């Protein structure tokens, strides 16, 4: 018990140290003709987001773009500390929501944002422009002779019955490191009891923990992983489409699927809120396109057409703030540690 | 007489004013209700949120523990898109939440009860709900205060939406009320205009009582009108009776005077005496004629009031009149010729006789000696007529209508004695029968003269 305690404190302090210094993972600058620059802080990897930037630059050649990629926790902290960005795009809905709730976002309204459904905006402060489900990605050859699981119950049975195939080769988000991973995990835990059993089963298989979906998809395609839970479907599909590979199966859970809304806010300190508004319109128009194809990230409209009955977006509302409370967070980390990290804790 | 305002307009305006006041009042009341209802809804949800958080409070490992339930905040999101803040304080130390969120004064807090307050936070007005629970930590009681706050922008928006809708409904109600007011005012004034119409439609000599059913407010007016009409009719009748009586009384002694004068004329010795007596006789004749006409006039006024409608043939009637006037005409060497076709009408034979005789009288009177008077009776286009034509000086120039006025005499009558009542009587008779009198000067190959036509509907 004492050891567990110590480990927890260690992890918490490491987490805070890590988040204290922001790491710009990528940066991409497009020069504009007028000298005005729109500074965007985002969690979306550049290879996924480059087409959006290119399309905007083609329509607005005068405006320069400065696109920086950070983790969602860094993004939240940087905006809160007043970093000079004009637009913040994040997959961590809860963090984005809390920024808006706490008054760190500017109001914006346009014809495009008025066209958004009610669940895709909140108070003219925060706007959704994609709806991306969390999926399970499985290497086809690992389960060639088995039925592909479509519910968490099936997934639990599969992992429990074939530990030899999955030992050390399953991956999921490290919820302490990834804001999106934490969001998916807390929503899972709220929706279904099966989440904790699944975590325990995965915990026994010595899981690999990741910061981001991109890294998980990298390891899946290299063969280091055979199964990843709660991967962003958009990343996986984009990678599969890019590589033309048939090795991976993307499975949307039928019992319950989390759908993350990627959202935009204009930070309070934005120097060019008009440019930010124009970029939001650009994103929302793409997000509301009727045809899901052509863009790397799925549209908002895909949700209405989804076949699964339990398929629905995570609600943009104050309920999201519950999981950001440090007490709830500490309790959740404790429970998650206990289930997923048992092999590590049990080792000594 | 210019009317002094309109009852209809002032009644409509008054009712519209009342409707406007009621509409505004109802809008204010509904708006206030909406504000209160929305405010109470927010308080209830805030209280439920605070309670659901307080229920998770517990002591664990020597410290106060709690679990913010998802529903505690999601229920706040359900009523409006408002910002949410919270603060949980255990034993005076912040446990979690927004440290600078204003609290509720210690005095207002009571264990186990939710207290409310309104304050400013993060640049907006917020509604706060707060509750305190005692948690035993290692045997020591620790008071834990849970405060949840929500901004009011969204719910104020809801209240003003409701208020706007109420205003729209009030305007619609007001318009309907004005329309109904106008209809009601018109309906309640209808008896008045009915009575005015009934009085206005009456003929000039119609002096019957109104005998109308009217609302109780108007029956004094009707009664007063009826009494006035009754008195008027009585007075008219009395004066006509008086005239008839007077004419009658004058005529009888005049007959005696005439007879005596004729006797005296036969016995007179000198031409001067004879001439004097002839003048007397002519004056007596004229007086007698005038008295007769006054009597006729009274008779017409009396009989026209309740007209009998018997079948009368104008051609026979005209023939009788001609026969009765022929002696007078012969005295002045005036020839009367008569051309008749059947001309049936419905009416009072006595009155029609008077009318035709008056015209014949005039024709004979104004004809120069040794001329002819032509009378034509017949029918044309559904009307029966008697046309009397003389070879006299005609009617002169000017407005012929004036000739039918009482005691008015034409410009060519200066050499003749007369009362001026003849044509008035004729006109009144014809009018009572629905007919008319046409006066014209005829200037054609048959010569000049007056041409008088009595025209009546055939029957």
């Amino acid at each position: 018990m004492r050891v567990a305690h110590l480990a927890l404190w260690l992890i918490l302090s490491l987490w805070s140290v890590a988040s204290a210094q922001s790491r710009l993972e990528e940066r991409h600058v497009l020069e504009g003709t007028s000298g005005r620059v729109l500074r965007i802080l985002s969690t979306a990897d550049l290879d996924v987001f480059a087409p959006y930037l290119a399309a905007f630059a083609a329509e607005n050649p005068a405006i320069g773009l400065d696109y920086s990629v950070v983790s969602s926790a860094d993004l939240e902290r940087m905006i809160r500390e007043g970093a000079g960005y004009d637009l913040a795009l994040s997959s961590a809905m809860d963090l984005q929501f809390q920024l808006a709730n706490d008054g760190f976002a500017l109001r914006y309204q346009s014809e495009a944002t008025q066209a958004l459904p009610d669940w895709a905006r909140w108070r003219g402060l925060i706007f959704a422009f994609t709806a991306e489900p969390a999926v399970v990605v499985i290497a086809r050859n690992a389960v060639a002779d088995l039925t592909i699981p479509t519910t968490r119950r099936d997934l639990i049975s599969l992992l429990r019955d074939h530990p030899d195939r999955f030992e050390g080769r399953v991956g999921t988000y490290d919820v302490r490191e990834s804001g999106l991973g934490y969001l998916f995990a807390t929503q899972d835990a709220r929706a279904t009891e099966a989440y904790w059993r699944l975590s325990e089963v995965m915990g026994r298989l010595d899981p690999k923990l990741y910061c981001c979906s991109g890294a998980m998809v990298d390891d899946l395609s290299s063969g280091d992983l055979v199964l990843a839970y709660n991967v962003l479907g958009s990343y996986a599909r984009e990678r599969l489409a890019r590589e033309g590979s048939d090795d991976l199966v993307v499975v949307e859970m039928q019992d319950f699927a989390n759908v993350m809304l990627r959202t935009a806010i204009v930070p309070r300190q934005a120097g060019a809120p008009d440019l930010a508004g124009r970029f939001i319109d650009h994103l929302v128009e793409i997000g509301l396109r009727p045809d899901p194809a052509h863009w790397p990230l799925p549209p908002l409209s895909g949700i209405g057409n989804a076949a699964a009955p339990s398929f629905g977006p995570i609600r943009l509302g104050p309920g999201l703030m519950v999981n950001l409370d440090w007490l709830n967070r500490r309790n959740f980390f404790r429970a998650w540690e206990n289930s997923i990290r048992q092999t590590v804790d049990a080792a000594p | 007489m210019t009317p002094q305002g309109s009852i209809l307009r002032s009644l409509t305006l008054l009712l519209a004013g009342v409707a406007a006041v009621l509409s505004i009042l109802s809008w204010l009341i509904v708006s206030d209700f909406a504000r209160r209802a929305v405010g109470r809804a927010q308080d209830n949800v805030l209280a439920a949120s605070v309670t659901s958080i307080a229920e998770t409070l517990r002591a664990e490992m020597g410290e106060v523990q709690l679990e913010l339930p998802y529903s505690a905040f999601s229920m706040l999101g359900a009523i409006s898109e408002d910002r949410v803040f919270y603060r949980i304080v255990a034993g005076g130390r912040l446990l979690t939440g927004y440290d600078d969120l204003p609290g509720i004064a210690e005095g207002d807090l009571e264990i186990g009860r939710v207290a409310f307050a309104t304050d400013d936070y993060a640049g907006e007005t917020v509604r706060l709900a707060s509750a305190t629970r005692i948690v035993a930590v290692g045997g020591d009681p620790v008071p834990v205060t849970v405060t949840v706050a929500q901004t009011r922008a969204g719910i104020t928006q809801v209240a003003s939406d409701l208020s706007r809708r109420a205003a729209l409904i009030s305007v619609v109600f007001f318009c309907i009320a004005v329309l109904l007011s106008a209809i009601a005012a018109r309906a309640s004034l209808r008896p008045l205009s009915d009575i005015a119409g009934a009085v206005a439609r009456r003929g000039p000599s119609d002096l019957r009582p109104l005998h109308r059913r009217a609302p109780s407010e108007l029956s004094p007016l009707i009664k007063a009108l009826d009494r006035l009409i009754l008195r008027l009719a009585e007075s008219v009748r009395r004066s006509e009776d008086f005239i008839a009586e007077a004419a009658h009384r004058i005529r009888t002694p005049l007959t005696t005077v005439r007879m005596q004068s004729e006797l005296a004329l036969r016995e007179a010795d000198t031409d001067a005496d004879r001439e004097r007596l002839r003048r007397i006789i002519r004056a007596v004749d004229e007086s007698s004629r005038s008295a007769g006409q006054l009597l006729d006039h009274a008779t017409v006024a009396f009989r026209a009031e309740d007209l009998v409608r018997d079948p009368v043939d104008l051609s026979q009637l005209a023939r009788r009149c001609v026969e009765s006037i022929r002696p007078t005409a012969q005295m002045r060497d005036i020839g009367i010729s008569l051309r008749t076709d059947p001309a049936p009408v419905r009416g009072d034979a006595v009155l029609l006789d008077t009318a035709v005789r008056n015209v014949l009288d005039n024709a004979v009177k104004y004809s120069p000696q040794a001329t002819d008077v032509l009378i034509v009776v017949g029918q044309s286009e559904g009307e029966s007529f008697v046309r009397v034509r003389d070879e006299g000086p005609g009617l002169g120039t000017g407005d012929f209508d004036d000739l039918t006025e009482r005691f008015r005499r034409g410009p060519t009558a200066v050499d003749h004695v007369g009362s001026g009542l003849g044509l008035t009587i004729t006109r009144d008779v014809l009018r009572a029968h629905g007919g008319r009198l046409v006066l014209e000067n005829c200037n054609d190959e048959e010569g000049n003269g007056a041409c008088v036509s009595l025209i009546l509907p055939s029957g």
Side-chain angles (χ1 to χ4, degrees):
Chain A
M1 199 63 202
R2 184 162 269 279
V3 177
H5 224 134
L6 201 68
L8 176 79
W9 279 118
L10 208 66
I11 287 159
L12 276 177
S13 47
L14 273 177
W15 186 64
S16 57
V17 166
S19 60
Q21 39 180 260
S22 48
R23 296 166 301 178
L24 284 192
E25 295 165 6
E26 282 177 290
R27 187 163 174 206
H28 183 62
V29 178
L30 290 168
E31 295 291 342
T33 55
S34 71
R36 295 200 68 191
V37 178
L38 172 65
R39 286 164 59 80
I40 303 171
L41 196 58
S42 171
T43 60
D45 293 352
L46 190 58
D47 48 356
V48 168
F49 210 73
Y52 294 86
L53 298 173
F56 185 80
E59 276 175 37
N60 305 279
I63 302 168
L65 292 173
D66 180 348
Y67 184 83
S68 305
V69 180
V70 291
S71 75
S72 55
D74 282 348
L75 182 141
E76 196 263 347
R77 196 179 44 73
M78 286 166 77
I79 296 302
R80 211 173 261 278
E81 286 168 0
Y85 288 92
D86 305 314
L87 188 61
L89 311 174
S90 174
S91 52
M93 294 169 71
D94 44 4
L95 293 173
Q96 288 281 86
F97 182 86
Q98 193 161 44
L99 283 174
N101 184 74
D102 293 359
F104 289 95
L106 290 179
R107 200 172 286 274
Y108 175 69
Q109 192 178 341
S110 71
E111 261 179 55
T113 62
Q114 288 301 107
L116 282 172
D118 283 346
W119 52 258
R121 59 188 153 108
W122 189 78
R123 291 198 82 183
L125 294 171
I126 178 164
F127 309 97
F129 59 96
T130 67
E132 306 175 33
V135 297
V136 178
V137 183
I138 306 172
R140 198 177 292 280
N141 57 11
V143 291
D145 53 337
L146 301 168
T147 326
I148 291 174
T150 53
T151 65
R152 285 175 182 75
R153 187 189 298 268
D154 293 348
L155 184 60
I156 290 165
S157 316
L158 178 75
L159 294 176
R160 188 182 285 151
D161 297 348
H162 306 278
D164 48 316
R165 297 192 198 190
F166 296 106
E167 181 79 46
R169 299 177 76 193
V170 293
T172 190
Y173 272 116
D174 186 337
V175 301
R176 302 158 302 185
E177 222 178 300
S178 161
L180 179 59
Y182 182 65
L183 175 68
F184 280 151
T186 49
Q187 294 293 326
D188 268 358
R190 191 168 69 78
T192 166
E193 275 304 311
Y195 173 73
W196 291 116
R197 284 194 283 128
L198 179 62
S199 296
E200 275 173 29
V201 172
M202 284 202 292
R204 266 180 246 132
L205 293 172
D206 185 20
K208 289 187 177 167
L209 300 177
Y210 290 85
C211 70
C212 352
S213 277
M216 271 191 270
V217 176
D218 285 344
D219 282 1
L220 278 164
S221 58
S222 71
D224 290 345
L225 285 185
V226 292
L227 186 144
Y229 178 74
N230 269 354
V231 184
L232 262 189
S234 47
Y235 277 62
R237 289 209 174 87
E238 192 265 344
R239 176 68 62 90
L240 290 182
R242 188 142 46 94
E243 291 179 353
S245 140
D246 196 29
D247 295 341
L248 300 177
V249 194
V250 175
V251 187
E252 278 170 20
M253 291 286 106
Q254 297 296 308
D255 53 345
F256 172 84
N258 278 312
V259 177
M260 173 271 282
L261 301 177
R262 200 177 287 271
T263 55
I265 61 170
V266 183
R268 184 166 68 174
Q269 64 272 19
D274 55 324
L275 301 185
R278 216 187 291 181
F279 200 85
I280 288 175
D281 290 353
H282 169 70
L283 291 176
V284 164
E285 275 157 23
I286 295 170
L288 288 174
R289 70 191 185 272
D291 179 11
H294 304 310
W295 295 93
L297 298 174
L300 289 165
S301 50
I303 290 172
N305 306 332
S310 56
F311 201 80
I314 297 169
R315 214 176 110 206
L316 262 181
L320 285 172
M321 287 166 39
V322 163
N323 294 319
L324 297 178
D325 184 84
W326 76 273
L327 278 172
N328 280 30
R329 199 181 179 92
R330 187 183 66 179
N331 292 340
F332 190 85
F333 283 170
R334 269 185 196 153
W336 183 80
E337 297 272 347
N338 284 342
S339 51
I340 207 104
R341 302 279 297 165
Q342 46 192 297
T343 44
V344 178
D345 290 344
Chain B
M1 195 170 60
T2 48
Q4 189 195 351
S6 144
I7 298 183
L8 179 67
R9 205 175 44 214
S10 47
L11 198 59
T12 310
L13 282 178
L14 195 71
L15 290 173
V18 170
V21 169
L22 287 178
S23 299
I24 291 171
L25 264 180
S26 77
W27 171 66
L28 289 176
I29 290 170
V30 170
S31 298
D32 187 49
F33 275 172
R35 242 191 323 275
R36 280 165 199 262
V38 171
R40 186 168 300 181
Q42 186 181 35
D43 281 0
N44 288 344
V45 178
L46 278 170
S49 173
V50 166
T51 311
S52 69
I53 294 171
E55 276 166 359
T56 68
L57 286 170
R58 60 188 185 277
E60 212 172 79
M61 295 189 292
E63 57 182 16
V64 177
Q65 273 283 348
L66 87 156
E67 193 92 31
L68 285 177
Y70 177 81
S71 60
F73 287 176
S74 68
M75 66 171 94
L76 289 167
I79 58 165
S80 66
E81 288 192 345
D82 269 306
R83 295 159 69 184
V84 172
F85 309 101
Y86 66 101
R87 186 166 75 132
I88 295 153
V89 175
R93 272 184 45 243
L94 178 77
L95 190 60
T96 183
Y98 296 72
D99 195 16
D100 51 350
L101 185 69
I104 289 176
E106 287 283 323
D108 295 342
L109 284 174
E110 201 180 306
I111 304 286
R113 254 196 63 227
V114 181
F116 299 97
T118 305
D119 212 325
D120 284 334
Y121 182 67
E124 277 192 77
T125 306
V126 293
R127 183 73 173 163
L128 297 143
S130 204
T132 301
R133 240 189 86 186
I134 304 291
V135 179
V137 182
D140 299 328
V142 177
V144 182
T145 303
V146 178
T147 305
V148 177
Q150 190 179 28
T151 56
R152 310 204 73 162
I155 67 145
T156 307
Q157 183 67 36
V158 172
S160 57
D161 278 355
L162 288 173
S163 166
R164 225 189 334 272
R165 204 162 299 173
L168 196 72
I169 291 171
S170 292
V171 168
V172 171
F173 272 174
F174 172 71
C175 291
I176 293 173
V178 167
L179 195 72
L180 292 179
S181 303
I183 292 171
R186 208 169 285 273
S188 47
L189 289 178
R190 181 160 305 137
L192 208 57
S193 55
D194 281 357
I195 289 167
V199 172
R201 273 196 304 276
R202 300 196 138 204
S205 53
D206 186 352
L207 290 176
R208 287 168 301 161
L210 284 167
H211 285 312
R212 293 188 69 88
R213 296 176 62 82
S216 57
E217 289 83 355
L218 285 180
S219 59
L221 176 67
I222 299 262
K223 276 186 190 139
L225 264 180
D226 276 352
R227 272 202 298 277
L228 179 67
I229 289 169
L230 219 61
R231 281 207 300 277
L232 190 62
E234 186 65 28
S235 134
V236 166
R237 192 166 300 126
R238 216 180 298 145
S239 69
E240 275 166 1
D241 285 354
F242 173 77
I243 291 166
E245 184 68 25
H248 187 67
R249 293 234 179 140
I250 290 165
R251 245 186 352 180
T252 316
L254 280 179
T255 317
T256 315
V257 172
R258 194 182 196 278
M259 265 162 57
Q260 294 301 324
S261 300
E262 273 179 4
L263 283 176
L265 180 64
R266 263 181 235 153
E267 292 163 9
D269 296 329
T270 63
D271 281 349
D273 285 347
R274 273 196 286 276
E275 182 54 29
R276 203 168 289 137
L277 283 168
R278 271 198 204 99
R279 278 197 198 145
I280 292 172
I281 289 170
R282 240 171 60 208
V284 167
D285 275 354
E286 207 51 57
S287 297
S288 160
R289 205 175 108 95
S290 294
Q293 281 185 331
L294 279 173
L295 193 57
D296 283 350
H297 187 66
T299 311
V300 169
F302 174 71
R303 294 185 73 113
E305 208 172 274
D306 199 8
L307 194 71
V308 276
R309 292 197 178 270
D310 296 327
V312 177
D313 188 349
L314 285 182
S315 59
Q316 284 174 19
L317 190 140
R319 194 166 291 130
R320 275 201 307 277
C321 287
V322 167
E323 289 317 315
S324 71
I325 205 164
R326 205 179 285 279
T328 320
Q330 275 169 352
M331 272 170 60
R332 298 181 57 218
D333 205 5
I334 293 170
I336 302 179
S337 44
L338 187 65
R339 285 210 306 258
T340 57
D341 285 314
V345 294
R346 288 195 163 268
D348 186 328
V350 176
L351 291 184
L352 291 172
D353 185 76
T354 308
V356 172
R357 198 145 31 82
N358 265 301
V359 174
L360 271 178
D361 263 0
N362 271 346
V364 169
K365 196 162 75 181
Y366 293 110
S367 285
Q369 286 202 323
T371 56
D372 282 333
V373 172
L374 173 63
I375 297 151
V376 183
V377 184
Q379 253 184 306
S380 87
E381 293 170 6
E383 289 178 322
S384 300
F385 64 87
V386 175
R387 189 172 299 131
V388 177
R389 175 185 182 145
D390 62 33
E391 295 173 349
L395 298 163
T397 56
D399 195 347
F400 297 162
D401 286 348
D402 289 348
L403 296 175
T404 59
E405 269 178 37
R406 255 190 256 190
F407 309 119
R408 173 67 67 110
R409 305 180 68 209
T412 56
V414 283
D415 297 335
H416 300 267
V417 285
S419 65
L421 266 175
L423 287 179
T424 310
I425 293 167
T426 306
R427 186 204 57 192
D428 287 351
V429 170
L430 290 175
R431 212 175 262 179
H433 284 79
R436 65 189 190 277
L437 181 67
V438 177
L439 303 173
E440 30 194 4
N441 281 319
C442 27
N443 297 307
D444 53 27
E445 67 274 10
E446 291 184 47
N448 298 335
C451 200
V452 179
S453 304
L454 293 77
I455 300 172
L456 288 160
S458 292

